Amino acid sequence: MSGCISHKAHEAPEQSTVLRERSARVLNADVTAMMVLTALAWTLYGLSQDNVKIWGPNAVGLALASVQAALVVLLGGRPPVPSPQGGAGGHKAEALSQAEEV
């Protein structure tokens, strides 16, 4: 059960980057959608079988995937917010924005 939860929570570093930069560019919308659908399907199956070992970890995964989906929807296309240290989240973000302009 803990392995399933830790697998779902591996996206947490990306979510902190999304919140810090106010941009969901590091998250893949297609993968996020599949995470939500898969977790929903397994949660519903576990509930239908009355098996907490199935629906429990998948309900946690559904909650985490839903948070990620909300970040993708709310912050998907926005450019990064300039950080207090200057720049738009570092040299990588600046290089990315310059590459997109070309």
Side-chain angles (χ1 to χ4, degrees):
M1 186 183 295
S2 64
C4 182
I5 294 171
S6 65
H7 172 71
K8 302 281 188 196
H10 84 279
E11 295 286 335
E14 285 84 2
Q15 291 175 358
S16 65
T17 300
V18 168
L19 292 173
R20 184 176 57 253
E21 295 181 2
R22 304 272 192 255
S23 173
R25 291 181 185 186
V26 296
L27 299 176
N28 186 318
D30 295 334
V31 172
T32 301
M34 291 309 299
M35 286 173 49
V36 170
L37 293 175
T38 302
L40 177 63
W42 279 106
T43 301
L44 293 174
Y45 175 74
L47 289 170
S48 74
Q49 299 298 308
D50 196 28
N51 188 336
V52 72
K53 291 182 180 179
I54 297 175
W55 70 257
N58 285 291
V60 172
L62 179 59
L64 293 172
S66 297
V67 168
Q68 183 168 322
L71 290 173
V72 169
V73 168
L74 294 173
L75 303 175
R78 296 183 184 170
V81 174
S83 66
Q85 294 84 16
H91 299 292
K92 186 176 179 181
E94 289 176 20
L96 179 63
S97 65
Q98 290 174 356
E100 290 175 350
E101 291 175 4
V102 173

